[in-house]
Amino acid sequence: MKIAIAGTGYVGLVTGVCLAEVGNPNVVCVDIDERKIERMKSGISPIYEDGLEELMIKNYELDRIDYTTDYKSAYKDADVIMIAVGTPERSDGSANLDYIKAVAKQVAQTITKDTLVVIKSTVPIGTNDEIEKYIRKNLVNDVKVELASNPEFLSQGTAVKDTLHASRIVVGVESEWAKDILEKVYSPFNQPIVVTNRNSAEMIKYASNDFLALKISFMNDIANLCEIVGANIEDVAKGMSYDDRIGDKFLKAGIGYGGSCFPKDTKALHWLSNYNGYELKTVKAAIEVNEAQKLKLVRQASKLIDSFNGLKVAVLGLTFKPETDDLREAPSIPNIKYLIERGANVVAYDPIGIENTKKIFKDTISYTESIDEAIEGAEICFIMTEWKDIVNYDLSKYKNKMKRALLFDGRNCYRLDDMKNLGIEYYSIGR
Ligand code: UGA
């Protein structure tokens, strides 16, 4: 079976590599960026993802996977074409399907045999129906084409592991033919396969992400209340987690969720719901709590100092979560903007996110790859991401190196007692 994959972002590339890894002999990844394709052929991943490059090199050498910009040769005789291009957010919150439609057009113009087109990208409910109609209408050759929804549940930072050991594979199909093909594609993974119709599969993806976003926002809301009434959110989360119905994951309060998925997918489902005349109140609440949460600590800090103007402010951790170099929708961005607008001299630290941060803030802030350097002489420090080296940092250094040991921790990296014993002014979330 030949499998072509459109798009080599987190979903497309990791899916392609993992399909090759479980033994598919003919996987081809398509992207429009020539330079990216050349680099992938030499085993260089365009994204930072643990364990990915080893598998890229191994499977390329085994001749199971190839990379190309030549979509015609990739699609024309493929049995399955997986679409894994981005669906970014439009200014009104709706999902932009332009990239999906561009691939659909290429597919319609090139396929020469019966093909199953699988949408892996996160798309609004009804998109598979719409794209199927579009491709059929624009087909150049007399072949059968059908769409299937197969949403992806991998997380950045653990993408390879999540794909090889997924909790479930969701397959949204409208025929036995499509179901059989996808069951064959995924059988080597040995994971539970949930078969639904296409609309339900599309909804499963949004509902899963939005539920997790809601879970985080709920905990952030409770954390804010904990601060007011003298409770501790970590103890509260622990006490809740033993109930199997609640579970122990995604209960961590902080300065809000970021990344390329939760912010976009909550807004997109809320938009879709409004568009259909229904108000999704829970998801709206998740979005609102998250927006407010992001600037919680800088606002709190501004009440404790006269002004940020001219102050050296250290910001530790810039990416939207640890183990990724991605800054999309990272809480660090609005926080740094807030600080710059108020005249602070921001020194930003991240173990691997500096290059991407420079693209956003250019020379308006300073950058360092050393925590020591970031906090030296600083009058305030904000922690935005719980990188291991930040969590394991020698706490006495905050006391010894900073001009004023005033620390705002958006990820609850440290114990309250330790900070108290060291005489550090320490503010965290919900405790
Ligand atoms: C998320 C989902 O977890 C994946 O299942 C999904 O496939 C993916 O979106 C997607 O749609 O492609 P991801 O955005 O990579 O994955 O990252 P998460 O690990 O879910 O974290 C998202 C944000 O939530 C981060 O900013 C993280 O700091 C925050 N978070 C997470 C919390 O604030 N508290 C928690 O307890 C957990």
Side-chain angles (χ1 to χ4, degrees), residues 226-267:
C226 280
E227 284 175 26
I228 299 167
V229 299
N232 180 319
I233 191 65
E234 286 182 338
D235 293 339
V236 173
K238 190 174 172 199
M240 291 165 67
S241 70
Y242 284 89
D243 185 331
D244 284 346
R245 295 168 302 175
I246 296 172
D248 62 354
K249 307 223 164 53
F250 279 67
L251 291 182
K252 206 163 179 303
I255 39 163
Y257 58 76
S260 64
C261 306
F262 290 171
K264 165 177 81 75
D265 296 347
T266 43
K267 286 181 222 161

Short mmCIF file of all heavy atoms in Angstrom, two decimals, residues 226-267:
data_model
loop_
_atom_site.label_atom_id
_atom_site.label_comp_id
_atom_site.label_asym_id
_atom_site.label_seq_id
_atom_site.Cartn_x
_atom_site.Cartn_y
_atom_site.Cartn_z
N CYS A 226 -8.75 29.58 45.59
CA CYS A 226 -7.93 29.05 46.69
C CYS A 226 -7.10 30.18 47.31
O CYS A 226 -6.98 30.26 48.54
CB CYS A 226 -6.95 27.98 46.16
SG CYS A 226 -7.69 26.38 45.92
N GLU A 227 -6.53 31.03 46.47
CA GLU A 227 -5.70 32.13 47.00
C GLU A 227 -6.53 33.03 47.91
O GLU A 227 -6.06 33.51 48.93
CB GLU A 227 -5.14 32.96 45.84
CG GLU A 227 -3.99 32.28 45.15
CD GLU A 227 -3.50 33.05 43.92
OE1 GLU A 227 -3.66 34.28 43.86
OE2 GLU A 227 -2.94 32.39 43.02
N ILE A 228 -7.78 33.26 47.51
CA ILE A 228 -8.62 34.18 48.29
C ILE A 228 -9.05 33.55 49.61
O ILE A 228 -9.06 34.21 50.65
CB ILE A 228 -9.87 34.58 47.45
CG1 ILE A 228 -9.42 35.31 46.17
CG2 ILE A 228 -10.81 35.47 48.26
CD1 ILE A 228 -10.52 35.46 45.12
N VAL A 229 -9.37 32.25 49.57
CA VAL A 229 -9.95 31.64 50.78
C VAL A 229 -8.92 30.84 51.60
O VAL A 229 -9.27 30.19 52.58
CB VAL A 229 -11.15 30.73 50.43
CG1 VAL A 229 -12.25 31.53 49.75
CG2 VAL A 229 -10.72 29.57 49.53
N GLY A 230 -7.63 30.89 51.18
CA GLY A 230 -6.60 30.24 51.97
C GLY A 230 -6.52 28.73 51.81
O GLY A 230 -6.17 28.01 52.73
N ALA A 231 -6.83 28.24 50.62
CA ALA A 231 -6.62 26.81 50.33
C ALA A 231 -5.42 26.68 49.40
O ALA A 231 -4.91 27.67 48.89
CB ALA A 231 -7.87 26.23 49.66
N ASN A 232 -4.96 25.44 49.20
CA ASN A 232 -3.78 25.21 48.37
C ASN A 232 -4.17 24.33 47.18
O ASN A 232 -4.57 23.18 47.35
CB ASN A 232 -2.69 24.53 49.22
CG ASN A 232 -1.44 24.26 48.43
OD1 ASN A 232 -1.47 23.85 47.27
ND2 ASN A 232 -0.30 24.48 49.07
N ILE A 233 -4.06 24.87 45.98
CA ILE A 233 -4.56 24.17 44.77
C ILE A 233 -3.86 22.82 44.56
O ILE A 233 -4.47 21.89 44.04
CB ILE A 233 -4.44 25.07 43.51
CG1 ILE A 233 -5.18 24.46 42.30
CG2 ILE A 233 -2.98 25.30 43.12
CD1 ILE A 233 -6.65 24.34 42.43
N GLU A 234 -2.60 22.72 44.97
CA GLU A 234 -1.91 21.43 44.75
C GLU A 234 -2.50 20.35 45.64
O GLU A 234 -2.69 19.21 45.21
CB GLU A 234 -0.42 21.60 44.99
CG GLU A 234 0.18 22.36 43.82
CD GLU A 234 1.66 22.54 43.90
OE1 GLU A 234 2.22 22.47 45.02
OE2 GLU A 234 2.25 22.78 42.85
N ASP A 235 -2.79 20.71 46.87
CA ASP A 235 -3.43 19.73 47.76
C ASP A 235 -4.84 19.41 47.26
O ASP A 235 -5.28 18.26 47.30
CB ASP A 235 -3.52 20.30 49.19
CG ASP A 235 -2.13 20.46 49.81
OD1 ASP A 235 -1.20 19.80 49.31
OD2 ASP A 235 -2.00 21.27 50.74
N VAL A 236 -5.51 20.44 46.77
CA VAL A 236 -6.88 20.25 46.26
C VAL A 236 -6.84 19.30 45.06
O VAL A 236 -7.61 18.34 44.97
CB VAL A 236 -7.52 21.61 45.88
CG1 VAL A 236 -8.86 21.40 45.17
CG2 VAL A 236 -7.69 22.49 47.12
N ALA A 237 -5.90 19.54 44.14
CA ALA A 237 -5.78 18.69 42.95
C ALA A 237 -5.47 17.25 43.34
O ALA A 237 -6.03 16.30 42.81
CB ALA A 237 -4.70 19.24 42.02
N LYS A 238 -4.56 17.11 44.29
CA LYS A 238 -4.17 15.76 44.74
C LYS A 238 -5.39 15.04 45.32
O LYS A 238 -5.67 13.89 44.98
CB LYS A 238 -3.08 15.87 45.80
CG LYS A 238 -2.44 14.56 46.14
CD LYS A 238 -1.27 14.74 47.06
CE LYS A 238 -0.79 13.39 47.53
NZ LYS A 238 0.02 13.47 48.72
N GLY A 239 -6.12 15.76 46.14
CA GLY A 239 -7.30 15.16 46.76
C GLY A 239 -8.36 14.77 45.74
O GLY A 239 -9.05 13.77 45.89
N MET A 240 -8.45 15.55 44.68
CA MET A 240 -9.43 15.25 43.62
C MET A 240 -8.98 14.05 42.79
O MET A 240 -9.79 13.25 42.32
CB MET A 240 -9.60 16.46 42.67
CG MET A 240 -10.28 17.65 43.29
SD MET A 240 -10.02 19.14 42.26
CE MET A 240 -10.96 18.73 40.79
N SER A 241 -7.65 13.95 42.59
CA SER A 241 -7.12 13.02 41.58
C SER A 241 -7.36 11.55 41.90
O SER A 241 -7.33 10.71 41.00
CB SER A 241 -5.62 13.26 41.41
OG SER A 241 -4.95 12.82 42.57
N TYR A 242 -7.57 11.23 43.17
CA TYR A 242 -7.77 9.81 43.52
C TYR A 242 -9.13 9.28 43.06
O TYR A 242 -9.35 8.07 43.05
CB TYR A 242 -7.61 9.61 45.03
CG TYR A 242 -6.15 9.63 45.43
CD1 TYR A 242 -5.52 10.81 45.77
CD2 TYR A 242 -5.40 8.46 45.41
CE1 TYR A 242 -4.18 10.85 46.09
CE2 TYR A 242 -4.05 8.47 45.74
CZ TYR A 242 -3.45 9.67 46.08
OH TYR A 242 -2.12 9.69 46.39
N ASP A 243 -10.01 10.20 42.70
CA ASP A 243 -11.31 9.78 42.16
C ASP A 243 -11.09 9.43 40.68
O ASP A 243 -10.77 10.30 39.87
CB ASP A 243 -12.29 10.96 42.30
CG ASP A 243 -13.71 10.58 41.88
OD1 ASP A 243 -13.85 9.69 41.01
OD2 ASP A 243 -14.65 11.19 42.40
N ASP A 244 -11.27 8.15 40.37
CA ASP A 244 -11.04 7.70 38.98
C ASP A 244 -11.85 8.50 37.97
O ASP A 244 -11.46 8.63 36.82
CB ASP A 244 -11.45 6.22 38.82
CG ASP A 244 -10.42 5.31 39.42
OD1 ASP A 244 -9.31 5.81 39.69
OD2 ASP A 244 -10.75 4.12 39.63
N ARG A 245 -13.01 8.98 38.41
CA ARG A 245 -13.84 9.72 37.46
C ARG A 245 -13.22 11.05 37.11
O ARG A 245 -13.51 11.63 36.08
CB ARG A 245 -15.24 9.94 38.06
CG ARG A 245 -16.01 8.66 38.27
CD ARG A 245 -17.23 8.90 39.10
NE ARG A 245 -16.89 9.48 40.40
CZ ARG A 245 -17.79 9.88 41.29
NH1 ARG A 245 -19.07 9.77 41.04
NH2 ARG A 245 -17.39 10.39 42.43
N ILE A 246 -12.34 11.57 37.97
CA ILE A 246 -11.66 12.85 37.69
C ILE A 246 -10.29 12.58 37.09
O ILE A 246 -9.90 13.18 36.10
CB ILE A 246 -11.56 13.68 38.99
CG1 ILE A 246 -12.96 14.04 39.48
CG2 ILE A 246 -10.73 14.96 38.75
CD1 ILE A 246 -13.01 14.70 40.85
N GLY A 247 -9.54 11.65 37.71
CA GLY A 247 -8.21 11.31 37.19
C GLY A 247 -7.16 12.28 37.68
O GLY A 247 -7.46 13.31 38.27
N ASP A 248 -5.88 11.96 37.42
CA ASP A 248 -4.81 12.80 37.96
C ASP A 248 -4.11 13.64 36.89
O ASP A 248 -3.10 14.28 37.15
CB ASP A 248 -3.78 11.93 38.71
CG ASP A 248 -3.11 10.93 37.78
OD1 ASP A 248 -3.52 10.83 36.60
OD2 ASP A 248 -2.19 10.23 38.23
N LYS A 249 -4.65 13.66 35.67
CA LYS A 249 -3.97 14.41 34.60
C LYS A 249 -4.68 15.73 34.28
O LYS A 249 -5.88 15.84 34.44
CB LYS A 249 -3.92 13.56 33.33
CG LYS A 249 -3.33 12.20 33.57
CD LYS A 249 -2.38 11.79 32.48
CE LYS A 249 -1.51 10.63 32.89
NZ LYS A 249 -2.24 9.47 33.39
N PHE A 250 -3.89 16.68 33.84
CA PHE A 250 -4.43 17.99 33.41
C PHE A 250 -5.17 18.72 34.53
O PHE A 250 -6.15 19.39 34.31
CB PHE A 250 -5.28 17.85 32.14
CG PHE A 250 -4.41 17.80 30.91
CD1 PHE A 250 -3.57 16.73 30.69
CD2 PHE A 250 -4.38 18.85 30.01
CE1 PHE A 250 -2.72 16.69 29.60
CE2 PHE A 250 -3.53 18.83 28.91
CZ PHE A 250 -2.70 17.74 28.71
N LEU A 251 -4.63 18.54 35.74
CA LEU A 251 -5.19 19.24 36.89
C LEU A 251 -4.23 20.32 37.37
O LEU A 251 -4.41 20.89 38.43
CB LEU A 251 -5.42 18.25 38.05
CG LEU A 251 -6.51 17.20 37.89
CD1 LEU A 251 -6.61 16.35 39.16
CD2 LEU A 251 -7.87 17.84 37.61
N LYS A 252 -3.19 20.58 36.59
CA LYS A 252 -2.15 21.50 37.07
C LYS A 252 -2.52 22.95 36.75
O LYS A 252 -2.64 23.33 35.59
CB LYS A 252 -0.83 21.11 36.39
CG LYS A 252 0.37 21.50 37.19
CD LYS A 252 1.61 20.76 36.71
CE LYS A 252 2.83 21.16 37.51
NZ LYS A 252 3.13 22.57 37.51
N ALA A 253 -2.69 23.71 37.83
CA ALA A 253 -3.00 25.13 37.64
C ALA A 253 -1.72 25.87 37.23
O ALA A 253 -0.61 25.44 37.53
CB ALA A 253 -3.54 25.71 38.94
N GLY A 254 -1.89 26.98 36.52
CA GLY A 254 -0.72 27.73 36.07
C GLY A 254 -1.16 29.06 35.47
O GLY A 254 -2.23 29.59 35.84
N ILE A 255 -0.33 29.58 34.54
CA ILE A 255 -0.73 30.85 33.93
C ILE A 255 -1.41 30.61 32.58
O ILE A 255 -1.31 31.43 31.65
CB ILE A 255 0.44 31.83 33.74
CG1 ILE A 255 1.68 31.08 33.30
CG2 ILE A 255 0.65 32.67 34.96
CD1 ILE A 255 2.70 31.96 32.71
N GLY A 256 -2.10 29.51 32.47
CA GLY A 256 -2.94 29.32 31.29
C GLY A 256 -2.34 28.37 30.27
O GLY A 256 -1.14 28.20 30.19
N TYR A 257 -3.23 27.77 29.50
CA TYR A 257 -2.77 26.86 28.43
C TYR A 257 -2.40 27.67 27.19
O TYR A 257 -2.96 28.72 26.92
CB TYR A 257 -3.84 25.81 28.11
CG TYR A 257 -5.19 26.35 27.68
CD1 TYR A 257 -5.39 26.88 26.41
CD2 TYR A 257 -6.27 26.34 28.55
CE1 TYR A 257 -6.63 27.37 26.02
CE2 TYR A 257 -7.51 26.83 28.17
CZ TYR A 257 -7.67 27.35 26.91
OH TYR A 257 -8.88 27.84 26.52
N GLY A 258 -1.40 27.14 26.46
CA GLY A 258 -1.01 27.77 25.19
C GLY A 258 -0.87 26.70 24.13
O GLY A 258 -1.48 25.63 24.23
N GLY A 259 -0.04 26.96 23.12
CA GLY A 259 0.21 25.98 22.08
C GLY A 259 -0.65 26.20 20.85
O GLY A 259 -1.48 27.11 20.80
N SER A 260 -0.45 25.35 19.88
CA SER A 260 -1.12 25.55 18.60
C SER A 260 -2.50 24.89 18.57
O SER A 260 -3.19 24.94 17.56
CB SER A 260 -0.26 24.96 17.48
OG SER A 260 -0.15 23.57 17.66
N CYS A 261 -2.91 24.26 19.68
CA CYS A 261 -4.16 23.49 19.62
C CYS A 261 -5.28 24.00 20.54
O CYS A 261 -6.34 24.38 20.06
CB CYS A 261 -3.86 22.03 19.91
SG CYS A 261 -2.57 21.39 18.83
N PHE A 262 -5.05 23.99 21.85
CA PHE A 262 -6.15 24.35 22.76
C PHE A 262 -6.72 25.74 22.48
O PHE A 262 -7.95 25.89 22.37
CB PHE A 262 -5.71 24.24 24.23
CG PHE A 262 -5.49 22.83 24.73
CD1 PHE A 262 -4.92 22.60 25.97
CD2 PHE A 262 -5.88 21.74 23.96
CE1 PHE A 262 -4.73 21.31 26.43
CE2 PHE A 262 -5.67 20.45 24.41
CZ PHE A 262 -5.10 20.24 25.65
N PRO A 263 -5.85 26.78 22.36
CA PRO A 263 -6.42 28.11 22.11
C PRO A 263 -7.23 28.14 20.80
O PRO A 263 -8.34 28.67 20.75
CB PRO A 263 -5.19 29.01 22.02
CG PRO A 263 -4.13 28.29 22.80
CD PRO A 263 -4.38 26.84 22.54
N LYS A 264 -6.68 27.53 19.76
CA LYS A 264 -7.33 27.54 18.45
C LYS A 264 -8.61 26.69 18.45
O LYS A 264 -9.65 27.10 17.94
CB LYS A 264 -6.32 26.99 17.43
CG LYS A 264 -6.86 26.56 16.09
CD LYS A 264 -5.73 26.12 15.17
CE LYS A 264 -5.25 24.71 15.41
NZ LYS A 264 -6.11 23.63 14.95
N ASP A 265 -8.53 25.51 19.07
CA ASP A 265 -9.66 24.58 18.98
C ASP A 265 -10.83 24.99 19.89
O ASP A 265 -11.99 24.68 19.58
CB ASP A 265 -9.20 23.15 19.28
CG ASP A 265 -8.21 22.65 18.24
OD1 ASP A 265 -8.09 23.31 17.18
OD2 ASP A 265 -7.55 21.63 18.47
N THR A 266 -10.54 25.66 20.98
CA THR A 266 -11.64 26.17 21.81
C THR A 266 -12.37 27.28 21.05
O THR A 266 -13.60 27.29 20.98
CB THR A 266 -11.13 26.72 23.17
OG1 THR A 266 -9.95 27.48 22.94
CG2 THR A 266 -10.84 25.61 24.15
N LYS A 267 -11.57 28.18 20.44
CA LYS A 267 -12.22 29.28 19.72
C LYS A 267 -12.98 28.77 18.50
O LYS A 267 -14.07 29.26 18.20
CB LYS A 267 -11.17 30.33 19.31
CG LYS A 267 -10.71 31.16 20.51
CD LYS A 267 -9.70 32.20 20.09
CE LYS A 267 -8.57 32.28 21.09
NZ LYS A 267 -7.38 32.91 20.55
#
